[in-house]
């Protein structure tokens, strides 16, 4: 059984050690960059929730949830306004293929549906067009591509 825990002084160094395989590096930002982006969002009047993903006490991945837009957004997709996002999801290469990604999405949606920043109609996420695995995984949860792009990434949306 996995759990998510907010990134904190106790777990940050273990979370920073997590890595995806070389083949996946173009699909997801490193965790240090994600945590920096969370800080920039928060100091830019936004909302970011960075979490470590743990199996018991073992860190297996990283998850970041966002809400709305902040001062640092440059040309965000329309769906970003007033909605939640699964901003980042990564499972360390040593722990892939064990269902942690699916469980993490369940936990992410549970957190989002608690509406920590207020009610919203949608949750969205984005992925590289070549990332067929991500598209397949997210579609199992009901995420549907809405025709928008977030930079070079395809946007998919789930009604909450």
């Amino acid at each position: 059984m996995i759990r998510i825990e907010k990134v904190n002084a106790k777990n940050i160094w273990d979370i920073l050690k997590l890595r995806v395989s070389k083949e996946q590096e173009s699909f997801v930002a490193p965790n240090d960059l994600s945590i920096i982006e969370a800080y920039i969002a928060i100091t830019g009047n936004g909302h970011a929730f960075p979490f470590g993903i743990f199996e018991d006490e073992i860190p297996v991945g990283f998850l970041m949830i966002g809400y709305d837009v902040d001062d640092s957004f440059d040309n965000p997709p329309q769906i970003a306004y007033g909605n939640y996002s699964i901003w980042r999801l990564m499972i360390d290469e040593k722990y892939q293929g064990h269902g942690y990604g699916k469980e993490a999405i369940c936990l992410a949606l549970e957190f989002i549906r608690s509406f920590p920043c207020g009610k919203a109609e949608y949750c969205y996420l984005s992925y590289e067009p070549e990332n067929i695995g991500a598209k397949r995984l997210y579609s199992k949860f009901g995420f549907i591509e809405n025709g928008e792009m977030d930079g070079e990434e395809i946007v998919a949306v789930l009604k909450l």
Side-chain angles (χ1 to χ4, degrees), residues 23-44:
E23 304 81 55
Q24 295 173 319
E25 285 178 353
S26 65
F27 295 152
V28 63
N31 295 341
D32 55 355
L33 178 60
S34 296
I35 292 167
I36 290 166
E37 287 177 341
Y39 174 82
I40 290 168
I42 292 165
T43 60

Side-chain angles (χ1 to χ4, degrees), residues 33-159:
L33 178 60
S34 296
I35 292 167
I36 290 166
E37 287 177 341
Y39 174 82
I40 290 168
I42 292 165
T43 60
N45 301 308
H47 302 275
F49 301 90
F51 294 98
I53 303 168
F54 293 85
E55 171 73 53
D56 296 318
E57 296 305 310
I58 300 167
V60 299
F62 177 79
L63 167 71
M64 190 157 74
I65 294 166
Y67 174 75
D68 202 30
V69 298
D70 61 69
D71 298 344
S72 70
F73 268 76
D74 187 28
N75 197 24
Q78 202 57 42
I79 194 71
Y81 293 91
N83 287 303
Y84 290 89
S85 67
I86 297 178
W87 191 348
R88 291 280 153 62
L89 173 62
M90 71 79 68
I91 303 298
D92 185 90
E93 65 180 326
K94 294 186 298 283
Y95 301 103
Q96 291 183 14
H98 301 282
Y100 293 129
K102 286 182 209 149
E103 287 185 62
I105 293 170
C106 289
L107 292 171
L109 292 172
E110 183 180 310
F111 176 81
I112 289 166
R113 287 183 173 122
S114 75
F115 300 110
C117 300
K119 283 294 247 183
E121 192 172 355
Y122 296 101
C123 174
Y124 78 97
L125 47 78
S126 63
Y127 45 83
E128 299 286 338
E130 317 71 63
N131 195 345
I132 304 304
K135 177 180 180 169
R136 200 172 318 143
L137 174 64
Y138 296 134
S139 68
K140 288 179 183 176
F141 285 88
F143 283 90
I144 299 168
E145 294 176 5
N146 72 346
E148 285 191 90
M149 298 292 285
D150 187 0
E152 301 292 317
E153 296 186 350
I154 296 169
V155 172
V157 177
L158 175 71
K159 189 160 176 51

